[in-house]
Amino acid sequence: NCSYFKHFTPGETSEIFEVTTQKEYSISAAAIAIFSVGFAIIGTICVLLSFRKKRDYLLKPASMFYTFSG
């Protein structure tokens, strides 16, 4: 029953909308997610090293890694 889509497609010849995911989009989304998690882990390592050893110069690269992961 596609009565909801009759608002967008007037008339009796409204097509049934099918939701399909393409494989290329799934692979690229997975790759972006893996890179994002990797950048977040590297940023966390930089933050932990800067607090433990009092190396404040590691906070700027950590902020860049967190920005890249976003």
Side-chain angles (χ1 to χ4, degrees):
N1 187 4
C2 293
S3 61
Y4 174 76
F5 294 110
K6 287 188 180 181
H7 173 73
F8 300 107
T9 57
E12 294 296 324
T13 61
S14 61
E15 297 178 4
I16 297 174
F17 293 96
E18 295 180 4
V19 177
T20 59
T21 54
Q22 295 178 358
K23 189 175 183 180
E24 294 85 16
Y25 292 145
S26 298
I27 291 173
S28 64
I32 290 172
I34 289 171
F35 282 125
S36 175
V37 170
F39 282 137
I41 289 172
I42 293 172
T44 303
I45 290 171
C46 287
V47 167
L48 291 176
L49 286 176
S50 70
F51 287 149
R52 178 179 282 178
K53 308 238 179 176
K54 300 294 181 190
R55 297 178 181 166
D56 291 337
Y57 58 88
L58 286 175
L59 291 176
K60 284 187 182 181
S63 68
M64 292 305 296
F65 284 125
Y66 283 132
T67 304
F68 292 151
S69 72

